[in-house]
Amino acid sequence: MSLFELTLQDLRTGLDRREFSSAEATRAFLDRIAATDPQLNAFITVCAEQALAEAAAADRRLAAGDAAPLTGIPLAMKDIFNTAGVRTTCASKILADYVSPYDATAFARVKAQGAVLLGKVNMDEFAMGSSNENSAFGAVRNPWDTACVPGGSSGGSAACVAARQAPAALGTDTGGSIRQPAAHCGVVGLKPTYGRVSRFGVIAYASSLDQVGPVTIDVRDCALLLQAIAGHDPLDSTSVDTPVPDYAAALRTGLEGVRIGLPKEYFGEGLDTDVRRAVEQAVATCRDLGAEIREVSLPHTGYAVACYYLIATAEASSNLARYDSVRFGHRTAAAGNLIETYSRSRDEGFGAEVKRRIMLGTYALSSGYYDAYYLKAQKVRTLIRQDFLDAFETVDVILGPVAPTPAFRLNEKTADPLQMYLSDIFTIPVNLAGTCALSLPCGFSGSGLPIGLQLIGKPFAESDLLHVAYAFEQATEWHKRRAAI
Ligand code: GLN
């Protein structure tokens, strides 16, 4: 087995036993990136030299017997995390040359443990999209079929792990951006509860929804990486000061006593037959493992996409107002006065989808429309959150599909934004409710594309998700299949 095929846990074991060095492992991933990225375009920036220097430092730390859980482990970061000294583009022309003076907390935490930064991975511009086609740095291709999208917006994070260009990556999820690409690329993705992981230094899209999480090969690695990034951060007032459990302790087999709810709204019309079959098979597996299966209802599911596209765009229109080209970011060469500088810089710097969202959000917030749109969406959001809290009165975990279809073809949905928005119909409600959810492989379509299973947990009950996911993974072989790239 090549070093680039190892999981985080296997890399940890191998490094601790001195079977290989961090420099060797890092070199293996850099070679793998060089060999496969011309086909995938998962990386915006590869930090080859710096990564080898960090690996050498990690090897010294290992030799000194001062290793933390991630010491010497190579990782990829979505290009939305500020990384001091390495450019952070958010896949936008407006930030194409931006180098942050500071690190995002999630990155600072993995770095403090000795992780090695392989590079910054591609995404939809400002995390707005479901296919990674909205990137100023070009679309990412799905390692299972390069004619297909990897999903988005953390398309680079999922594709790079699926192609074993990195053993794991961090992504962000505002409406499904970790879970949906993880599903389409056959890897594990977790959106933690809002407040579980610090968002300090993460470029903001929709601040009441954005959350940071891991993308990994398997569930054990997911627990390991979550452990490294979870916890209160005084620099992010929305991060919550509740104790972080030992996530590895949740990795148990057997599901006796676990009540799993199937929301009837997630199994209706429009669900692809391969996805339905795979998810129903997963339900049978969970039942065989001892879980009690019940039907639940999330009655306001049908309003979630509309509600999300009011709240997310409203917040985006405020967050993106800071890109005025004055202190940082692209500045036009063709402006006669200050107002023209603002408008031309933004016109040249932002892509079409970002402009669409800014306009939608500005409209929803404007005087005379605020009550009808934004305020009403906030009320609907409360109903959606209440749906989940009611369902969790009778079940421990909710199970359903991640996305209505497997990965679609490049350009298939670019002409129809509404079709694109509907790919997040099962993931968006979780962000509106603020709770946690995990995606893991549960089968393949007739054409060989991976299918994801979504597990949704109570607020701050990431351990419940890891338990069910681990038990399911141990009972199945889906996570062992590899993309042919
Ligand atoms: N696809 C959704 C959107 O475009 C979600 C993106 C995300 O989670 N960042 O907004």
Side-chain angles (χ1 to χ4, degrees), residues 78 127-130 152-153 172-177 205 308-309 357 424:
K78 185 177 183 178
M128 297 173 186
S130 309
S153 67
T172 59
D173 189 313
T174 305
S177 274
Y205 161 18
Y308 171 87
Y309 276 96
R357 306 261 178 130
D424 299 320

Side-chain angles (χ1 to χ4, degrees), residues 95-407:
L95 289 176
D97 302 313
Y98 176 65
V99 180
S100 167
Y102 67 98
D103 286 332
T105 297
F107 176 60
R109 289 196 176 172
V110 297
K111 197 162 106 175
Q113 288 205 3
V116 171
L117 177 64
L118 287 169
K120 307 290 294 288
V121 281
N122 210 337
M123 54 182 284
D124 285 296
E125 184 179 2
F126 284 101
M128 297 173 186
S130 309
S131 67
N132 216 124
E133 290 167 295
N134 302 330
S135 165
F137 295 82
V140 177
R141 310 229 165 204
N142 190 313
W144 294 86
D145 179 350
T146 52
C148 290
V149 302
S153 67
S154 310
S157 304
C160 80
V161 175
R164 303 297 191 263
Q165 296 174 320
L170 288 187
T172 59
D173 189 313
T174 305
S177 274
I178 289 174
R179 290 161 286 156
Q180 186 255 23
H184 288 347
C185 292
V187 294
V188 176
L190 171 69
K191 184 205 96 71
T193 308
Y194 187 77
R196 180 74 293 180
V197 181
S198 168
R199 297 178 300 115
F200 177 75
V202 180
I203 293 175
Y205 161 18
S207 307
S208 76
L209 301 157
D210 298 341
Q211 181 61 200
V212 171
V215 178
T216 57
I217 294 171
D218 64 17
V219 177
R220 179 178 296 278
D221 284 2
C222 178
L224 201 112
L225 199 45
L226 177 63
Q227 199 77 54
I229 58 174
H232 180 242
D233 175 12
L235 298 173
D236 174 2
S237 61
T238 67
S239 79
V240 173
D241 197 0
T242 55
V244 179
D246 174 9
Y247 292 117
L251 305 174
R252 302 186 307 275
T253 55
L255 293 177
E256 293 77 17
V258 178
R259 299 165 303 169
I260 295 182
L262 309 181
K264 59 172 190 266
E265 294 79 5
Y266 285 33
F267 292 87
E269 241 176 87
L271 187 62
D272 173 270
T273 51
D274 285 342
V275 174
R276 181 188 301 277
R277 178 189 40 78
V279 173
E280 283 174 355
Q281 236 171 44
V283 172
T285 303
C286 291
R287 191 182 281 119
D288 290 348
L289 289 168
E292 184 191 326
I293 310 291
R294 298 189 181 176
E295 188 182 272
V296 294
S297 177
L298 302 168
H300 298 93
T301 299
Y303 302 104
V305 172
C307 171
Y308 171 87
Y309 276 96
L310 287 165
I311 293 175
T313 57
E315 294 181 10
S317 84
S318 316
N319 274 325
L320 272 59
R322 75 189 61 169
Y323 302 101
D324 58 8
S325 85
V326 174
R327 291 187 200 79
F328 55 84
H330 170 78
R331 182 180 301 174
T332 183
N337 58 45
L338 184 63
I339 298 300
E340 266 177 37
T341 304
Y342 293 153
S343 65
R344 290 220 177 129
S345 300
R346 287 167 69 82
D347 183 35
E348 293 166 13
F350 288 136
E353 183 62 26
V354 174
K355 287 176 185 161
R356 181 179 2 252
R357 306 261 178 130
I358 292 172
M359 287 190 284
L360 278 169
T362 306
Y363 185 81
L365 287 175
S366 50
S367 117
Y369 296 101
Y370 180 93
D371 288 3
Y373 294 120
Y374 185 71
L375 191 65
K376 184 153 295 154
Q378 292 291 9
K379 292 179 178 170
V380 173
R381 179 177 189 169
T382 302
L383 295 173
I384 290 170
R385 177 171 166 83
Q386 198 55 48
D387 281 356
F388 281 96
L389 298 180
D390 291 346
F392 285 130
E393 291 286 323
T394 59
V395 297
D396 306 301
V397 167
I398 293 172
L399 180 154
V402 177
T405 66

